[in-house]
Amino acid sequence: MNQKSMQEKSMITPASGKSSGLSLKVCGMQQPGNMIQISEIEPDYMGFIFYEKSPRYFKDDLPEISSKIKKAGVFVNETAENILEKIENYSLNAIQLHGDETAEFCKDLKTDLQKLGNTPELIKVFSVGDDFNFQEIKAYEGIVDYFLFDTKGVLRGGNGEEFDWDILKNYPSNTPFFLSGGIGPEHGRAISNLKSHFLKIGKPGLLYAVDVNSKFELKPGLKKIKELKEFKTQINS
């Protein structure tokens, strides 16, 4: 995808169908009953973690949920073969790479994904700490569909800590991104402010989605319904 196409893509969030909307991804889903409850809120994505070291590791069958909700599989340094197997078994609509996957690996995987009937989206995660440099994302430009910025921590996600979002105001790319890392009910206003920044500079779709997990849980894998419903309304008000 050339730079112009990437920029045009960044101006509209497909899930919301409007330039000012934010997509919502609820990650770390684990319990079937809870998934059905969350599906009634109609998040744009549900995330399922296929990483055995995670307390939210998912290995069971999926209940029937709305086809409007994209099912995202989260992988950490997994083989392409196993990723493709999970896509087939769970009808995944998005692949989130949360490990040390190289640009070359992503390119090869993207080629494999494009051979499928309904090409899943490809999301590459970057862990942001005090020393983060946007040069790290350059090799992935034009390969992945989205970047996801999470907080650098002990765990591969789910640390419950936020990073300094001000760094994103100098975001140099035209690739839309997911905001993640310790996002909770109290962050609605801060997210709205960040969204306003991209509106002011004429690139509203760069902040494409918000990814939430541990701060909306009763325990790992069990999400709070009321809080998520209110949060979805707040970030798009």
Side-chain angles (χ1 to χ4, degrees):
M1 182 178 292
N2 60 36
Q3 185 173 359
K4 181 179 179 182
S5 297
M6 291 295 293
Q7 188 168 15
E8 288 174 350
K9 177 180 179 181
S10 75
M11 305 311 288
I12 294 290
T13 56
S16 66
K18 57 183 181 179
S19 61
S20 61
L22 282 179
S23 293
L24 175 64
K25 176 173 174 281
V26 182
C27 200
M29 300 302 301
Q30 200 172 51
Q31 301 187 21
N34 193 225
M35 293 175 202
I36 293 172
Q37 290 177 307
I38 294 298
S39 70
E40 294 175 357
I41 300 173
E42 296 184 337
D44 302 283
Y45 295 81
M46 275 193 191
F48 305 92
I49 299 175
F50 298 106
Y51 179 55
E52 292 187 9
K53 293 183 181 180
S54 170
R56 300 167 186 85
Y57 173 58
F58 184 75
K59 60 181 178 179
D60 300 315
D61 294 330
L62 282 173
E64 192 72 29
I65 61 175
S66 171
S67 60
K68 295 180 181 179
I69 300 173
K70 297 179 182 180
K71 292 174 286 186
V74 180
F75 300 90
V76 178
N77 298 328
E78 189 55 86
T79 65
E81 181 181 5
N82 286 341
I83 291 173
L84 292 170
E85 181 182 348
K86 289 294 190 297
I87 292 172
E88 181 178 358
N89 291 344
Y90 292 99
S91 300
L92 299 178
N93 308 108
I95 302 303
Q96 179 176 316
L97 302 178
H98 217 299
D100 306 306
E101 299 86 4
T102 64
E104 182 179 4
F105 176 86
C106 292
K107 185 176 181 180
D108 290 342
L109 179 61
K110 186 69 173 180
T111 298
D112 290 335
L113 297 179
Q114 289 172 338
K115 295 176 183 177
L116 302 177
N118 186 17
T119 305
E121 299 168 355
L122 187 58
I123 305 163
K124 180 67 183 86
V125 177
F126 290 89
S127 298
V128 181
D130 294 336
D131 58 348
F132 182 74
N133 191 326
F134 280 114
Q135 289 292 325
E136 294 181 29
I137 72 176
K138 279 197 170 182
Y140 299 83
E141 293 280 9
I143 298 174
V144 303
D145 298 291
Y146 303 101
F147 294 128
L148 185 151
F149 297 111
D150 196 4
T151 307
K152 187 175 183 179
V154 177
L155 304 175
R156 294 278 189 173
N159 288 285
E161 299 175 0
E162 63 184 278
F163 62 91
D164 183 2
W165 295 351
D166 281 344
I167 190 176
L168 296 173
K169 292 181 179 179
N170 297 315
Y171 183 61
S173 172
N174 284 316
T175 300
F177 66 88
F178 287 68
L179 177 66
S180 187
I183 296 174
E186 71 277 14
H187 289 112
R189 176 169 294 186
I191 290 170
S192 293
N193 290 340
L194 186 59
K195 181 175 70 172
S196 295
H197 165 77
F198 288 105
L199 282 169
K200 288 178 182 178
I201 65 173
K203 296 184 177 181
L206 284 183
L207 176 53
Y208 166 71
V210 177
D211 184 312
V212 301
N213 193 345
S214 59
K215 288 290 188 72
F216 286 91
E217 290 184 326
L218 294 167
K219 64 178 183 179
L222 182 62
K223 307 306 189 211
K224 298 177 181 178
I225 311 302
K226 180 175 179 289
E227 286 84 350
L228 278 168
K229 184 176 182 179
E230 292 173 350
F231 182 75
K232 182 187 175 187
T233 300
Q234 189 174 14
I235 63 173
N236 280 304
S237 59

